[in-house]
Each structure stands twice: as C-alpha cells, then as structure tokens.
Amino acid sequence: VSPFKIVVAASLRAMRGFIVLLSATALAACVAPGDAVGLRASMNPIRKVVTMLQAMQKKVEAEGEAEKELYEKFLCYCKSGNSDLSASISAAEIKIPAVTSDIEAKEAKLAQTKEDLKQAQSDRSSAKDAMKEATAIREKEAAAFAALKADADTNVAAIAKAVASIEQGVSGSFLQSTSAKALRRLAQSSESQDLLGEADRQALASFLSGSQGSDYAPQSGEILGILKQMGDTMAKDLADATATEEAAIKTYEGLMAAKT
C-alpha cells in the first residue's frame, strides 16, 4: 500500500470520527431534561455545522479520489517511462558498437580518400610533365619530318624532271634549270653516299656538270638507270618516314588522351 493512500485514509477516518463526535455532543446538549426550548433553539446552528462538515467531508473525499487518480496515473507513467527508458538505454548500448564501427570505417575511408586525392594530384602533376615532354618531342619529330619531306619532295621532283628530259633528248635545257641545281647538291651531299655507289655518283656528277661532251649519248641509258634507282629509293624512304610520322602522331594522341 502506498504512503499516499495511508495518509488519505487516515485523514478521512479522523474527519468521520470528528463529525460523529460533534453530532453526538450537540444532540446530548440539546435533549437535556427540561430544556426543550434550548433544543429547538440550538437545532438549526448545529445542523448547519454538521451539514457544513458533511460537505467538507465529501469535498475532501472527492479531492482524495482525484489525487488518488492523479497519483496512480503518475505511478503508471513512472513505471512505463522507466521501462521505456530502460529499453532505450539497452537499444543504445546495442547500437553504440555498430555506430562506433561505422564511424571508424568512415574515418578510414576518409583517410584513404585523402591519400587517393594526394596520389591523384601527384599523378596529375606527373602526367602534365609527361605531356609537356611528349609534346616537345613530338614537335621536334614533326619539324624533322617536315624538313625531310620537303627535301625528299624536291629531290624526287628533280629526278623525275631529269628522267623526262633525258628520255625526250632535251637534257641540255634541264641542266640549266633549278631542278638540275637541286640534283647537283644531292649528288655532292652525304645522303647520296647511302643511295649510290662511288662509280654511279661520279657518273651522275659528270652528267650534271655537263662535262660528258660527245661521250654522253652512249651513257644516257646508264644515267637513266641511276636516276630511276635514286628516285625509287628516295620515294620508298619518304613513304617509310611518312608511316613512321603517322604512327608517332597516333602514339602521341593516345598518350594525350590517357593523361587527360
């Protein structure tokens, strides 16, 4: 039994006893022998007190019931609240390890992300350096190919004109042309040593100098053969150089695409 209930019950019992005692005392005083007039005179005030006390008793009982109901509600709330709180604590205790593990995993992931970012920045810097170096090399290769192609085109065109002039019997006019000057430079260059043997180089140089005189006609077939051989070799070398240049361009473009 709760202390509150004990206090309320004791208060009600005391009030009931007081009302009964007061009523008995008032009645005894009013019905004393020979005092009928006093009984009638005293009846109304005493009844008023009794009625007032009875009203107070009912009020106290009603307030007690209300407080009892409130107390029981509060007690129920405390019990259920305590149960809910205990359940929340238990759930939190179960969840804490999982949350801690999740936090640790996220911290590890963040650290790895930072490390990956640092590595990516380093890789990007290295990629920029590699791209810069590759671009410089590609520019040099492109310039070298452009110069080689320009010389090859000039020399192949000059050889074609020389062959046509010899076949048409107008080699004299060809020797006065700029194409003949280009062939003379080629015949005197180190490149001609890779294209012709020494005897062929001497024969070509003699033809280009115009010093063959009357002996030229029998040698025209030999000169034509030398020129055609030179033209074929130089055309093949130019085709190989062009293929190499195209492969270098493709490799460079692939590197640029991979680094960006």
Side-chain angles (χ1 to χ4, degrees), residues 61-103:
E61 288 177 349
E63 290 177 351
E65 289 296 328
E67 291 182 2
K68 176 184 176 182
E69 183 180 356
L70 181 62
Y71 172 78
E72 290 176 348
K73 288 183 179 179
F74 179 74
L75 182 62
C76 179
Y77 171 77
C78 289
K79 289 180 179 179
S80 61
N82 183 56
S83 177
D84 293 342
L85 180 60
S86 298
S88 298
I89 291 173
S90 298
E93 289 176 346
I94 294 173
K95 193 175 181 180
I96 283 173
V99 173
T100 301
S101 177
D102 186 55
I103 291 173

CSV table of all heavy atoms in Angstrom, one decimal, residues 61-103:
chain,number,residue,atom,x,y,z
A,61,GLU,N,-13.2,13.9,0.4
A,61,GLU,CA,-13.2,12.6,-0.3
A,61,GLU,C,-13.0,12.7,-1.8
A,61,GLU,O,-12.3,12.0,-2.4
A,61,GLU,CB,-14.5,11.9,0.0
A,61,GLU,CG,-14.6,11.4,1.5
A,61,GLU,CD,-16.0,10.8,1.8
A,61,GLU,OE1,-16.9,10.9,0.9
A,61,GLU,OE2,-16.1,10.1,2.8
A,62,ALA,N,-13.7,13.7,-2.4
A,62,ALA,CA,-13.6,13.9,-3.8
A,62,ALA,C,-12.2,14.3,-4.2
A,62,ALA,O,-11.6,13.9,-5.2
A,62,ALA,CB,-14.6,15.0,-4.3
A,63,GLU,N,-11.6,15.3,-3.4
A,63,GLU,CA,-10.2,15.7,-3.7
A,63,GLU,C,-9.3,14.5,-3.5
A,63,GLU,O,-8.3,14.3,-4.2
A,63,GLU,CB,-9.8,16.8,-2.8
A,63,GLU,CG,-10.6,18.1,-3.1
A,63,GLU,CD,-10.2,19.2,-2.1
A,63,GLU,OE1,-9.5,18.9,-1.1
A,63,GLU,OE2,-10.6,20.4,-2.4
A,64,GLY,N,-9.6,13.7,-2.5
A,64,GLY,CA,-8.7,12.5,-2.3
A,64,GLY,C,-8.8,11.5,-3.4
A,64,GLY,O,-7.7,11.0,-3.9
A,65,GLU,N,-10.0,11.3,-3.9
A,65,GLU,CA,-10.1,10.4,-5.1
A,65,GLU,C,-9.4,11.0,-6.3
A,65,GLU,O,-8.8,10.3,-7.1
A,65,GLU,CB,-11.6,10.3,-5.4
A,65,GLU,CG,-12.4,9.4,-4.4
A,65,GLU,CD,-11.9,8.0,-4.4
A,65,GLU,OE1,-11.4,7.5,-5.4
A,65,GLU,OE2,-11.9,7.4,-3.3
A,66,ALA,N,-9.5,12.3,-6.5
A,66,ALA,CA,-8.9,13.0,-7.6
A,66,ALA,C,-7.3,12.9,-7.5
A,66,ALA,O,-6.6,12.6,-8.4
A,66,ALA,CB,-9.3,14.4,-7.7
A,67,GLU,N,-6.9,13.1,-6.3
A,67,GLU,CA,-5.4,13.0,-6.0
A,67,GLU,C,-5.0,11.5,-6.2
A,67,GLU,O,-3.9,11.2,-6.6
A,67,GLU,CB,-5.1,13.5,-4.7
A,67,GLU,CG,-5.2,15.1,-4.6
A,67,GLU,CD,-4.8,15.6,-3.2
A,67,GLU,OE1,-4.4,14.8,-2.4
A,67,GLU,OE2,-5.0,16.8,-3.0
A,68,LYS,N,-5.8,10.6,-5.7
A,68,LYS,CA,-5.5,9.2,-5.9
A,68,LYS,C,-5.4,8.8,-7.3
A,68,LYS,O,-4.4,8.1,-7.8
A,68,LYS,CB,-6.6,8.3,-5.2
A,68,LYS,CG,-6.4,6.8,-5.4
A,68,LYS,CD,-7.6,6.1,-4.8
A,68,LYS,CE,-7.4,4.6,-5.0
A,68,LYS,NZ,-8.6,3.8,-4.5
A,69,GLU,N,-6.4,9.3,-8.1
A,69,GLU,CA,-6.3,9.0,-9.6
A,69,GLU,C,-5.1,9.6,-10.2
A,69,GLU,O,-4.4,9.0,-11.0
A,69,GLU,CB,-7.6,9.6,-10.2
A,69,GLU,CG,-7.7,9.3,-11.7
A,69,GLU,CD,-8.9,9.8,-12.3
A,69,GLU,OE1,-9.8,10.4,-11.6
A,69,GLU,OE2,-9.1,9.7,-13.6
A,70,LEU,N,-4.8,10.9,-9.8
A,70,LEU,CA,-3.6,11.5,-10.3
A,70,LEU,C,-2.3,10.8,-9.9
A,70,LEU,O,-1.4,10.6,-10.7
A,70,LEU,CB,-3.5,13.0,-9.8
A,70,LEU,CG,-2.4,13.8,-10.3
A,70,LEU,CD1,-2.4,13.9,-11.9
A,70,LEU,CD2,-2.4,15.2,-9.7
A,71,TYR,N,-2.3,10.3,-8.7
A,71,TYR,CA,-1.1,9.6,-8.2
A,71,TYR,C,-0.9,8.3,-9.0
A,71,TYR,O,0.2,7.9,-9.4
A,71,TYR,CB,-1.3,9.3,-6.7
A,71,TYR,CG,-0.2,8.4,-6.1
A,71,TYR,CD1,1.0,8.8,-5.8
A,71,TYR,CD2,-0.5,7.0,-5.9
A,71,TYR,CE1,2.0,8.0,-5.3
A,71,TYR,CE2,0.4,6.2,-5.4
A,71,TYR,CZ,1.7,6.6,-5.1
A,71,TYR,OH,2.7,5.8,-4.6
A,72,GLU,N,-2.1,7.6,-9.2
A,72,GLU,CA,-2.0,6.3,-9.9
A,72,GLU,C,-1.5,6.5,-11.4
A,72,GLU,O,-0.7,5.7,-11.9
A,72,GLU,CB,-3.3,5.6,-9.9
A,72,GLU,CG,-3.7,5.1,-8.5
A,72,GLU,CD,-5.1,4.5,-8.5
A,72,GLU,OE1,-5.8,4.7,-9.5
A,72,GLU,OE2,-5.4,3.8,-7.5
A,73,LYS,N,-2.0,7.6,-12.0
A,73,LYS,CA,-1.6,7.9,-13.3
A,73,LYS,C,-0.1,8.2,-13.3
A,73,LYS,O,0.7,7.8,-14.2
A,73,LYS,CB,-2.3,9.1,-13.9
A,73,LYS,CG,-3.8,8.8,-14.2
A,73,LYS,CD,-4.4,10.1,-14.8
A,73,LYS,CE,-5.9,9.8,-15.2
A,73,LYS,NZ,-6.5,11.0,-15.8
A,74,PHE,N,0.4,9.0,-12.4
A,74,PHE,CA,1.8,9.4,-12.3
A,74,PHE,C,2.6,8.1,-12.0
A,74,PHE,O,3.7,7.9,-12.6
A,74,PHE,CB,2.0,10.4,-11.2
A,74,PHE,CG,3.5,10.8,-11.0
A,74,PHE,CD1,4.1,11.6,-11.9
A,74,PHE,CD2,4.2,10.3,-9.9
A,74,PHE,CE1,5.4,12.0,-11.8
A,74,PHE,CE2,5.5,10.7,-9.8
A,74,PHE,CZ,6.1,11.5,-10.7
A,75,LEU,N,2.1,7.2,-11.2
A,75,LEU,CA,2.8,6.0,-10.9
A,75,LEU,C,2.9,5.1,-12.1
A,75,LEU,O,4.0,4.6,-12.4
A,75,LEU,CB,2.1,5.2,-9.7
A,75,LEU,CG,2.8,3.9,-9.3
A,75,LEU,CD1,4.2,4.2,-8.7
A,75,LEU,CD2,1.9,3.2,-8.2
A,76,CYS,N,1.8,5.1,-12.9
A,76,CYS,CA,1.8,4.3,-14.1
A,76,CYS,C,2.8,4.9,-15.1
A,76,CYS,O,3.5,4.2,-15.8
A,76,CYS,CB,0.4,4.3,-14.7
A,76,CYS,SG,0.3,3.3,-16.3
A,77,TYR,N,2.8,6.2,-15.2
A,77,TYR,CA,3.7,6.9,-16.1
A,77,TYR,C,5.2,6.6,-15.7
A,77,TYR,O,6.0,6.4,-16.6
A,77,TYR,CB,3.5,8.4,-16.1
A,77,TYR,CG,4.5,9.2,-16.8
A,77,TYR,CD1,4.5,9.2,-18.2
A,77,TYR,CD2,5.5,9.9,-16.1
A,77,TYR,CE1,5.5,9.9,-18.9
A,77,TYR,CE2,6.5,10.6,-16.8
A,77,TYR,CZ,6.5,10.6,-18.2
A,77,TYR,OH,7.4,11.3,-18.9
A,78,CYS,N,5.4,6.6,-14.4
A,78,CYS,CA,6.8,6.4,-13.9
A,78,CYS,C,7.2,5.0,-14.3
A,78,CYS,O,8.4,4.7,-14.7
A,78,CYS,CB,6.9,6.6,-12.4
A,78,CYS,SG,6.8,8.3,-11.9
A,79,LYS,N,6.3,4.0,-14.1
A,79,LYS,CA,6.6,2.6,-14.4
A,79,LYS,C,6.9,2.4,-15.9
A,79,LYS,O,7.9,1.8,-16.3
A,79,LYS,CB,5.5,1.7,-13.9
A,79,LYS,CG,5.4,1.6,-12.4
A,79,LYS,CD,4.3,0.6,-12.0
A,79,LYS,CE,4.2,0.5,-10.5
A,79,LYS,NZ,3.1,-0.4,-10.1
A,80,SER,N,5.9,3.0,-16.7
A,80,SER,CA,6.1,2.8,-18.2
A,80,SER,C,7.3,3.6,-18.7
A,80,SER,O,8.0,3.2,-19.6
A,80,SER,CB,4.8,3.2,-18.9
A,80,SER,OG,4.5,4.6,-18.6
A,81,GLY,N,7.5,4.8,-18.1
A,81,GLY,CA,8.6,5.6,-18.5
A,81,GLY,C,9.9,5.0,-18.2
A,81,GLY,O,10.9,5.0,-19.0
A,82,ASN,N,10.0,4.4,-17.0
A,82,ASN,CA,11.2,3.7,-16.6
A,82,ASN,C,11.4,2.5,-17.5
A,82,ASN,O,12.6,2.2,-17.9
A,82,ASN,CB,11.0,3.2,-15.2
A,82,ASN,CG,12.3,2.5,-14.7
A,82,ASN,OD1,13.4,3.1,-14.7
A,82,ASN,ND2,12.2,1.3,-14.2
A,83,SER,N,10.4,1.8,-17.9
A,83,SER,CA,10.5,0.7,-18.8
A,83,SER,C,11.0,1.1,-20.2
A,83,SER,O,11.9,0.6,-20.8
A,83,SER,CB,9.2,-0.1,-19.0
A,83,SER,OG,9.3,-1.1,-19.9
A,84,ASP,N,10.4,2.3,-20.7
A,84,ASP,CA,10.8,2.8,-22.0
A,84,ASP,C,12.2,3.3,-21.9
A,84,ASP,O,13.0,3.1,-22.9
A,84,ASP,CB,9.9,4.0,-22.4
A,84,ASP,CG,8.5,3.5,-22.7
A,84,ASP,OD1,8.3,2.3,-22.9
A,84,ASP,OD2,7.6,4.3,-22.7
A,85,LEU,N,12.6,3.9,-20.8
A,85,LEU,CA,14.0,4.4,-20.7
A,85,LEU,C,15.0,3.3,-20.7
A,85,LEU,O,16.0,3.4,-21.3
A,85,LEU,CB,14.1,5.3,-19.4
A,85,LEU,CG,15.4,5.9,-19.1
A,85,LEU,CD1,15.9,6.8,-20.3
A,85,LEU,CD2,15.4,6.6,-17.8
A,86,SER,N,14.6,2.2,-19.9
A,86,SER,CA,15.5,1.1,-19.9
A,86,SER,C,15.7,0.4,-21.3
A,86,SER,O,16.8,0.1,-21.7
A,86,SER,CB,14.9,0.0,-18.9
A,86,SER,OG,14.8,0.6,-17.6
A,87,ALA,N,14.5,0.4,-22.0
A,87,ALA,CA,14.6,-0.2,-23.3
A,87,ALA,C,15.5,0.7,-24.2
A,87,ALA,O,16.3,0.2,-25.0
A,87,ALA,CB,13.2,-0.3,-23.9
A,88,SER,N,15.3,2.0,-24.1
A,88,SER,CA,16.1,2.9,-24.9
A,88,SER,C,17.6,2.8,-24.6
A,88,SER,O,18.5,2.8,-25.5
A,88,SER,CB,15.7,4.4,-24.7
A,88,SER,OG,14.3,4.6,-25.1
A,89,ILE,N,17.9,2.7,-23.3
A,89,ILE,CA,19.3,2.5,-22.9
A,89,ILE,C,19.9,1.2,-23.4
A,89,ILE,O,21.0,1.2,-23.9
A,89,ILE,CB,19.4,2.5,-21.4
A,89,ILE,CG1,19.1,4.0,-20.8
A,89,ILE,CG2,20.8,2.1,-20.9
A,89,ILE,CD1,19.0,4.1,-19.3
A,90,SER,N,19.1,0.1,-23.4
A,90,SER,CA,19.5,-1.2,-23.9
A,90,SER,C,19.8,-1.1,-25.4
A,90,SER,O,20.8,-1.6,-25.9
A,90,SER,CB,18.5,-2.2,-23.6
A,90,SER,OG,18.3,-2.4,-22.2
A,91,ALA,N,18.8,-0.4,-26.1
A,91,ALA,CA,19.0,-0.3,-27.5
A,91,ALA,C,20.2,0.5,-27.9
A,91,ALA,O,20.9,0.2,-28.8
A,91,ALA,CB,17.7,0.3,-28.1
A,92,ALA,N,20.4,1.6,-27.1
A,92,ALA,CA,21.6,2.4,-27.3
A,92,ALA,C,22.9,1.7,-27.1
A,92,ALA,O,23.9,1.8,-27.8
A,92,ALA,CB,21.5,3.7,-26.4
A,93,GLU,N,22.9,0.9,-26.0
A,93,GLU,CA,24.1,0.1,-25.7
A,93,GLU,C,24.4,-0.9,-26.8
A,93,GLU,O,25.5,-1.2,-27.1
A,93,GLU,CB,23.9,-0.7,-24.4
A,93,GLU,CG,23.9,0.3,-23.2
A,93,GLU,CD,23.6,-0.4,-21.9
A,93,GLU,OE1,23.1,-1.6,-21.9
A,93,GLU,OE2,23.8,0.2,-20.8
A,94,ILE,N,23.3,-1.5,-27.4
A,94,ILE,CA,23.5,-2.4,-28.5
A,94,ILE,C,24.0,-1.7,-29.8
A,94,ILE,O,24.8,-2.2,-30.5
A,94,ILE,CB,22.2,-3.2,-28.8
A,94,ILE,CG1,21.8,-4.0,-27.6
A,94,ILE,CG2,22.3,-4.0,-30.1
A,94,ILE,CD1,20.4,-4.7,-27.7
A,95,LYS,N,23.5,-0.5,-30.0
A,95,LYS,CA,23.8,0.3,-31.2
A,95,LYS,C,25.1,1.0,-31.1
A,95,LYS,O,25.8,1.2,-32.2
A,95,LYS,CB,22.7,1.3,-31.4
A,95,LYS,CG,22.7,2.0,-32.8
A,95,LYS,CD,21.5,2.9,-33.0
A,95,LYS,CE,21.6,3.5,-34.4
A,95,LYS,NZ,20.4,4.4,-34.6
A,96,ILE,N,25.6,1.3,-29.9
A,96,ILE,CA,26.9,2.0,-29.8
A,96,ILE,C,28.0,1.3,-30.5
A,96,ILE,O,28.8,2.0,-31.3
A,96,ILE,CB,27.2,2.2,-28.3
A,96,ILE,CG1,26.3,3.4,-27.8
A,96,ILE,CG2,28.7,2.6,-28.1
A,96,ILE,CD1,26.5,3.6,-26.3
A,97,PRO,N,28.2,0.0,-30.3
A,97,PRO,CA,29.4,-0.7,-31.0
A,97,PRO,C,29.2,-0.5,-32.6
A,97,PRO,O,30.2,-0.3,-33.3
A,97,PRO,CB,29.2,-2.1,-30.6
A,97,PRO,CG,28.5,-2.1,-29.3
A,97,PRO,CD,27.6,-0.9,-29.4
A,98,ALA,N,28.0,-0.7,-33.1
A,98,ALA,CA,27.8,-0.6,-34.5
A,98,ALA,C,28.1,0.8,-35.0
A,98,ALA,O,28.7,1.0,-36.0
A,98,ALA,CB,26.3,-1.0,-34.9
A,99,VAL,N,27.6,1.8,-34.3
A,99,VAL,CA,27.9,3.2,-34.6
A,99,VAL,C,29.4,3.5,-34.6
A,99,VAL,O,29.9,4.2,-35.5
A,99,VAL,CB,27.1,4.2,-33.7
A,99,VAL,CG1,27.5,5.6,-34.0
A,99,VAL,CG2,25.6,4.0,-33.9
A,100,THR,N,30.0,3.0,-33.5
A,100,THR,CA,31.5,3.2,-33.4
A,100,THR,C,32.2,2.6,-34.5
A,100,THR,O,33.1,3.2,-35.1
A,100,THR,CB,31.9,2.6,-32.1
A,100,THR,OG1,31.2,3.2,-31.0
A,100,THR,CG2,33.4,2.8,-31.9
A,101,SER,N,31.8,1.4,-34.9
A,101,SER,CA,32.4,0.7,-36.0
A,101,SER,C,32.2,1.4,-37.3
A,101,SER,O,33.1,1.6,-38.2
A,101,SER,CB,31.9,-0.7,-36.2
A,101,SER,OG,32.4,-1.4,-37.3
A,102,ASP,N,31.0,2.0,-37.5
A,102,ASP,CA,30.7,2.7,-38.7
A,102,ASP,C,31.5,4.0,-38.8
A,102,ASP,O,32.0,4.4,-39.8
A,102,ASP,CB,29.2,3.1,-38.7
A,102,ASP,CG,28.7,3.7,-40.0
A,102,ASP,OD1,29.0,3.2,-41.1
A,102,ASP,OD2,28.1,4.8,-39.9
A,103,ILE,N,31.6,4.7,-37.6
A,103,ILE,CA,32.5,5.9,-37.6
A,103,ILE,C,33.9,5.6,-37.9
A,103,ILE,O,34.5,6.3,-38.7
A,103,ILE,CB,32.4,6.5,-36.2
A,103,ILE,CG1,31.0,7.1,-36.0
A,103,ILE,CG2,33.4,7.6,-36.0
A,103,ILE,CD1,30.7,7.6,-34.6
